[in-house]
Amino acid sequence: MTTLTLKEEDYSNITADEVAEIAARLELDDYKTPFEGLQDWHLLRAIAFHREDLVEPYFYLLDIEAYDES
């Protein structure tokens, strides 16, 4: 498995195809260790904070809920 690691400046260069690859791996959930899946999950979550437009079709994989913190 090849994982993608991003630095702060790389978020603007990530493509929709790269995000789709990460999402596909998460959907298959065929990792050698649970930590590989967790790494992809954290990566997709980080991309969502920087490039929400690319991750929007895959929000269901992140299980992010809105909280009322007021």
Side-chain angles (χ1 to χ4, degrees), residues 2-67:
T2 307
T3 57
L4 180 66
T5 341
L6 297 175
K7 296 179 182 172
E8 188 72 32
E9 61 273 7
D10 294 336
Y11 289 104
S12 60
N13 298 324
I14 194 162
T15 66
D17 289 337
E18 290 171 322
V19 173
E21 284 179 32
I22 296 166
R25 288 196 308 260
L26 283 167
E27 283 196 351
L28 288 175
D29 194 26
D30 187 25
Y31 296 99
K32 294 178 184 176
T33 70
F35 299 106
E36 289 178 349
L38 190 58
Q39 185 177 8
D40 272 350
W41 185 84
H42 280 290
L43 181 57
L44 190 64
R45 188 171 184 264
I47 295 168
F49 282 109
H50 294 276
R51 296 286 311 273
E52 185 177 333
D53 57 311
L54 293 177
V55 180
E56 189 173 347
Y58 312 109
F59 275 154
Y60 66 95
L61 293 170
L62 296 175
D63 197 29
I64 296 177
E65 296 182 17
Y67 295 99

